[in-house]
């Protein structure tokens, strides 16, 4: 086979980037090869990306996959009100899965470095089309354009590259060959030559989510591919396009590099088909990456017993507000965290725990009611202008979020009411500001509210008896409900220690005293871990050695030397 | 607390050994700090060890553990016919498990290096008592003395040290602290200080086995302990003593090092209690290491859903015999493999696949019948002298093995009959030579025999149509039944390639053309992987990063800088 992408070309293009990524995951310093600024992609990138996206609408998305037995029909409606109308090929697993398995031996034999470099080429092709992906992510997730560009583009690409770096590192911990010589006293030593080969488990199934199709999809996708597995991508039916584009780009690169494109394929589903269940229990599927509801995550863990299952499920994120030396900074930081993408991030804080006795601040003592009303005012001010609000909030991703938002005032006293925001460009967009509801932490009916995930722009200001009470509630919330993030504000070293100990013991990822431009709901690849993998919100962290080390096995062949 | 074992003392004693182990797992070259030769332990070690072992017999094995609510009564009878009569404390989990959890924070805070060095001190104390452990392993497993000394002593200690090295390596892949500075164009950079802490999952439960209490128990025990977890050891009721001695030694070292001894505890059970099921589903138990039957391993995987479960279960090990340039060497090597510890190793070959058309050898063409009868003769010669036979075979570990051995002649034509061997020292020992049964691979009733694990000194010489047929059967056997080891004999590069490909694809660990002093059923820590973790015989390999990386989680705390 003549490959257009030759190994030396891949080396020249990407080996230095791989090495830099390997260094970054060791030092955890800031690094990214993927620019965040829209203008970094070139003069015409904005217009070109928009045109490329629009050209896809209302048409068939062709993928030259084996086993295509029809089309899904359009399943996506933009949260901004426009019809996407894209029609995806539908696959017969009985044809597609064997074709994917047949593609694997050559990919295995290519070795960890070539696999990593091919993955980096895929990521660089996607990076070059960041504007096009931004529109696709925006109109499936409801993220505002700038967030769709950054979180759906460079940040997702960073998480993909991070997974490739971990996969490469773990696969190369043993040498390819070793000589073994065991002394036998006066006799000749026993001598063996040994070879070690990283081998894939099988087909990795990626079950995508509605809110972050690329960001949550790329780590598992690239981790499985880089460790030699084939990858089948089953997108959320409302967020197919960004992953279909990803699959198509990857198939093109694989072909150019001389590999079988069936190492990656799309499994789009027809409305109501429930395809994930069918695929998840196929014997060929040996790895599953899933982001979504706890109910289906639990189902996968219980039923897909032939596979390694990595799940990110629901959680309840807490911020303990004990005291601060920057009251205005704290309010501004929290207001932004609650508003970004209408609170539709798995990392958005939900429960703000505040002592009934109030808190000490640089602006004097603030009663519980003061803190809540000042936070409400900060959110109100942040989102006072419709155009600015829409650019921060994005749109509600689906009707379920709107229903929860509308039901929230019934849960307690409303400290800040949600309001509808007119979108400057898309009249059909459902844009809402967050609601803040006051709850008494001691009341059982309030507990039913704050001890459940209320996914969307709903925050609970929970009055507790003391900070010690808050830390105890934090601990119980993580243990019983899980948490992707924990925040804390305190000027007391003792309280800081208590919060930190709770997070070490449960375990959960903690951000302390954020008052500037870093938010509890944002993590940076190569430096921050997303989730701990040690509480009910997720059984894996993005990205650590455990996330990749069991996606392959090492086969040793011993020969007498 | 005044600790007798101070950190600098542990550093001086063990840091160089830890570094050497870290190097060995990278290079996979031969290395071991634990001598195999009995005389290496000193002039009086043999007599001292025997006396120490005998002093334990017929008495109470005291462990100062919380929650002791009585004693188990003696549950162990030596396969050599002597009563051990040791009475172990029985624990109330409702008292013991909370005490173990309470011991964990200080162990977590001690960090990966101190934990590793304390584990190395435990191993060095055990190493110094290798002769005593040899008797304890011999009289619970039935291993012959020399094997009990080597496999139960230095080899088990090597596997424990290997697990400590992997645990240390994986916990130190991220720095303890990092500074993160993200450029913001003309504005000040965003700056965070970050700390990363390896935190334990909870209590690790080790469910021990009858045949290799220390060798199979130490990897999980030390991997969990070194990653900050507390470890509860539930030994097989017929092989308690070696693990009780291990727990006692570890508790002493932990105390001397200033830690709570309840970081490790014994959970011996009363006859018929079924304690493993009770413990395995306790919420405090977050990790389980199990070696034993497929039925109970499957039960654990299905029911202990709150825990990471590492299992080694039944398998069917195959040797493909295609051709050889050292016929005598091959026969001698196989005869030894079948005889060692009466075939009671999870790595012992069971199915020898030989073409009906015979094989090419340096001694000319050998028909299927010739190969089988020559192998039978080689085994017969190896075990011709009773004293030598007993020293190689050891004793049958339990009545189940004897029953299977006695039933084996009913499965096909007996090529080599088993015979009873008189043990020179222990008249009550049940010592048997292996039986070799000829089976026709094409016959369905034969398939029922060779496609099941027949644990013990039973080997099947399976006649197949061709080597291609053998490779296909090898593949199917690994996939459906699992395999800890695969052997192959061939002079053909094509056949070698076919066997290797089968092992890469299923996957399984392969030894090719062993004719000297290395046997398919023996692996060396730091260099060889035990199991692949990728077929039904075991879901983990001893020892690789995946075996340790998910026993802890990394908690990050971010602070605005």
């Amino acid at each position: 086979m003549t490959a257009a992408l030759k190994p030396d070309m891949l080396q020249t293009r990407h080996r230095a980037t791989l090495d830099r990524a390997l260094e970054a995951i060791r030092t955890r310093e800031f690094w990214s090869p993927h620019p965040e600024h829209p203008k970094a992609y070139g003069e015409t990138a904005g217009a070109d990306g928009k045109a490329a996206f629009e050209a896809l609408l209302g048409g068939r998305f062709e993928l030259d996959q084996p086993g295509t037995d029809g089309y899904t029909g359009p399943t996506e409606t933009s949260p901004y009100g426009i019809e996407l109308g894209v029609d995806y090929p539908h696959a017969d697993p009985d044809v597609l899965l064997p074709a994917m398995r047949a593609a694997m031996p050559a990919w295995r034999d290519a070795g960890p470095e070539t696999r990593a470099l091919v993955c980096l080429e895929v990521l660089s092709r996607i990076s070059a089309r960041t504007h096009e992906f931004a529109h696709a992510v925006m109109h499936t997730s409801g993220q505002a354009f700038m967030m769709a560009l950054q979180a759906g583009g460079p940040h997702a690409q960073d998480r993909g590259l991070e997974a490739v770096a971990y996969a490469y590192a773990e696969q190369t911990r043993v040498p390819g060959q070793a000589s073994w010589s065991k002394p036998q006293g006066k006799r000749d030593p026993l001598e063996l030559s040994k070879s070690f080969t990283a081998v894939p488990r099988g087909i990795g199934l990626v079950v995508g989510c509605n809110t972050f199709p690329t960001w949550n999809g790329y780590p598992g996708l690239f981790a499985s591919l880089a460790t030699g597995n084939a990858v089948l991508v089953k997108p959320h039916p409302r967020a197919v396009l960004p992953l279909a584009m990803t699959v198509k780009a990857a198939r093109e690169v694989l072909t150019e590099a001389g590999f079988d494109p069936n190492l990656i394929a799309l499994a789009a589903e027809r409305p109501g088909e429930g395809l994930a269940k069918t695929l998840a229990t196929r014997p060929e599927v040996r790895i599953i990456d899933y982001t979504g509801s706890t109910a289906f995550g639990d189902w996968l863990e219980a039923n897909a017993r032939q596979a390694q299952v990595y799940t990110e499920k629901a959680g309840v994120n807490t911020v303990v507000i004990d005291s601060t030396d920057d009251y205005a900074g704290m309010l501004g930081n929290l207001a932004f965290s609650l508003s970004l993408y209408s609170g539709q991030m798995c990392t958005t804080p939900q429960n703000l725990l505040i002592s009934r006795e109030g808190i000490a601040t640089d602006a004097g003592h603030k009663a519980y009611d003061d803190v809540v009303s000042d936070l409400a005012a900060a959110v109100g001010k942040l989102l006072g202008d419709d155009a600015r609000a829409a650019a921060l909030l994005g749109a509600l991703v689906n009707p379920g979020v709107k229903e929860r938002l509308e039901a929230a005032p019934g849960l307690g006293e409303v400290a800040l009411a949600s309001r509808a925001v007119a979108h400057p460009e898309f009249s059909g967009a459902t844009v809402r500001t967050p609601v803040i509801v006051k709850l008494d932490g001691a009341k059982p009916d309030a507990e039913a509210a704050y001890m459940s995930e209320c996914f969307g722009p709903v925050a609970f200001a929970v009055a507790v008896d003391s900070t010690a009470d808050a830390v105890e509630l934090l601990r119980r919330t993580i243990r019983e409900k899980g948490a992707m993030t924990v925040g804390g504000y305190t000027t007391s070293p003792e309280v800081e220690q208590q919060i930190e100990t709770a997070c070490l013991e449960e375990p959960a990822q903690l951000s302390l005293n954020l008052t500037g431009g870093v938010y509890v709901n944002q993590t940076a690849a190569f430096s921050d871990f997303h989730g701990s993998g040690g509480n009910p919100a997720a059984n894996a962290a993005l990205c650590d050695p455990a996330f990749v080390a069991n996606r392959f096995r090492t086969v040793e062949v011993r020969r007498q030397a």
Side-chain angles (χ1 to χ4, degrees), chain A:
Chain A
M1 196 178 315
T2 53
L5 274 173
K6 297 202 193 313
D8 58 342
M9 199 186 293
L10 290 168
Q11 276 272 351
T12 306
R13 283 194 197 165
H14 302 301
R15 181 68 225 199
T17 307
L18 177 61
D19 287 336
R20 188 64 191 81
L22 289 164
E23 188 193 341
I25 62 175
R26 275 194 304 269
T27 66
R28 315 304 291 181
E29 290 169 2
F30 171 78
W31 178 70
S32 169
H34 302 119
E36 282 181 328
H37 202 293
K39 292 194 177 155
Y41 294 88
E43 200 74 6
T44 63
D48 293 350
K50 192 163 188 233
F53 166 70
E54 286 170 349
L56 293 170
L57 301 185
R60 274 207 171 153
F61 192 98
E62 294 292 358
L63 281 168
D64 184 22
Q65 289 181 183
T68 297
D69 60 4
Y71 288 80
T72 62
T75 60
E76 299 160 298
T77 301
S78 167
Y80 292 94
I82 64 168
E83 284 297 323
L84 269 59
V86 187
D87 197 10
Y88 300 95
H90 185 274
D92 175 358
D94 289 333
V95 178
L96 182 58
L97 297 183
M100 295 179 73
R101 276 200 64 90
M104 287 168 52
W107 188 234
R108 175 197 72 218
D109 291 344
E113 187 188 36
T114 295
R115 287 194 293 269
L117 298 176
V118 169
C119 287
L120 263 62
E121 177 69 19
V122 174
L123 285 164
S124 75
R125 302 274 179 104
I126 290 169
S127 171
R129 290 164 60 195
T130 289
H131 277 267
E132 182 187 351
F133 273 85
H135 289 280
V137 169
M138 174 181 178
H139 285 290
T140 49
S141 70
Q143 291 175 28
F145 178 76
M146 185 60 81
M147 180 173 175
L149 186 134
Q150 294 184 341
H155 298 172
Q157 295 150 21
D158 281 350
R159 284 287 178 200
L161 174 54
E162 179 187 56
V164 173
Y166 270 104
Y168 176 80
E170 291 304 321
Q171 290 174 96
T172 52
R173 297 224 180 278
V174 293
Q177 308 285 336
S179 294
W180 183 87
S181 177
K182 180 176 178 179
Q184 296 293 294
K186 288 167 193 161
R187 286 171 294 151
D188 287 342
L190 297 175
E191 300 204 318
L192 294 174
S193 70
K194 304 182 178 188
S195 70
F196 301 93
T197 306
V199 301
R201 283 198 170 270
I203 294 174
L205 175 68
V206 175
V207 182
C209 69
N210 198 170
T211 48
F212 289 91
T214 56
W215 198 99
N216 276 91
Y218 283 5
L221 188 162
F222 283 100
S224 284
L225 197 60
T227 47
N229 302 280
V231 175
L232 183 59
V233 180
K234 206 300 288 176
H236 192 284
R238 299 173 64 99
V240 183
L241 188 55
L243 289 174
M245 288 160 58
T246 303
V247 168
K248 190 165 188 165
R251 290 175 62 87
E252 286 166 4
V253 170
L254 286 162
T255 304
E256 289 175 38
F259 294 100
D260 187 332
N262 296 324
L263 287 166
I264 187 164
L266 187 75
E269 64 184 323
R270 300 199 173 97
E273 186 178 355
L275 184 57
K277 278 196 182 185
T278 312
L279 295 175
T281 49
R282 290 281 303 212
E284 300 95 332
V285 169
R286 303 297 308 276
I287 302 167
I288 299 174
D289 286 275
Y290 167 76
T291 311
S293 73
T294 295
F296 192 60
D298 289 348
W299 185 91
L300 285 172
E301 291 170 15
N303 291 281
R305 302 284 306 288
Q306 84 292 355
Q308 307 281 322
V309 181
Y310 303 90
T311 55
E312 184 183 323
K313 302 181 285 192
V316 174
N317 302 319
T318 298
V319 180
V320 175
I321 303 177
D322 170 73
S323 51
T324 179
D325 58 10
D326 182 2
Y327 188 56
M330 176 184 86
L331 295 173
N333 187 282
L334 283 174
F336 188 93
S337 287
L338 298 179
S339 303
L340 183 64
Y341 186 29
S342 319
Q344 298 171 122
M345 301 173 74
C346 56
T347 51
T348 304
Q350 174 179 303
N351 294 345
L352 314 174
L353 310 188
I354 308 159
S355 171
R356 305 174 200 286
E357 290 166 16
I359 68 169
T361 82
D362 57 317
H365 180 86
K366 299 289 175 183
Y368 164 80
D369 284 339
D370 296 337
V371 178
V372 179
S373 61
D374 289 344
L375 178 61
V379 173
K381 189 179 158 199
L382 180 69
L383 304 175
D385 172 68
D386 271 9
R388 187 178 161 189
L392 193 56
L393 293 165
L396 299 191
V397 64
N398 62 43
V401 173
K402 185 156 171 274
E403 281 165 29
R404 275 191 296 275
L405 172 63
E406 287 167 354
L411 299 170
E413 183 191 336
V414 174
L416 175 69
S418 175
R419 72 176 182 90
V421 172
H423 196 281
E425 187 179 354
F426 297 101
S427 60
T430 307
V431 184
R432 296 287 185 279
T433 65
V435 62
I436 301 178
V437 177
K438 292 163 88 166
L439 295 174
D440 185 334
K443 292 202 175 150
D445 59 335
E447 179 170 328
Y450 67 71
M451 285 296 277
S452 304
E453 185 187 68
C454 187
F455 187 80
V458 179
F460 299 124
V462 182
V464 293
D465 290 341
S466 63
T467 292
D469 193 25
V471 174
E472 192 46 45
L473 179 54
L474 164 66
R475 199 181 270 271
R476 187 158 65 88
T477 305
I478 304 170
R479 189 182 313 144
E480 294 177 12
K481 300 296 166 183
M484 294 304 291
T485 60
V486 174
Y489 290 93
T490 184
T491 56
S492 154
E494 291 74 30
V495 170
E496 189 170 313
Q497 179 74 48
Q498 287 160 21
I499 298 171
E500 195 169 343
T501 299
C503 290
L504 290 174
E505 291 188 8
E506 288 313 329
Q509 308 300 12
L510 172 63
S511 298
L512 280 169
N513 298 318
L514 299 184
T515 56
V518 176
Y519 305 96
V520 65
N521 32 349
Q522 294 181 317
T523 61
F526 309 109
S527 183
D528 295 322
F529 292 107
H530 175 73
S532 76
N535 68 57
N539 73 2
L542 302 179
C543 188
D544 66 8
F547 187 67
V548 300
N550 220 351
R551 292 175 193 258
F552 67 97
R553 302 281 73 214
T554 303
V555 170
E556 174 185 354
V557 181
R558 307 191 292 185
R559 290 175 175 84
Q560 213 159 272

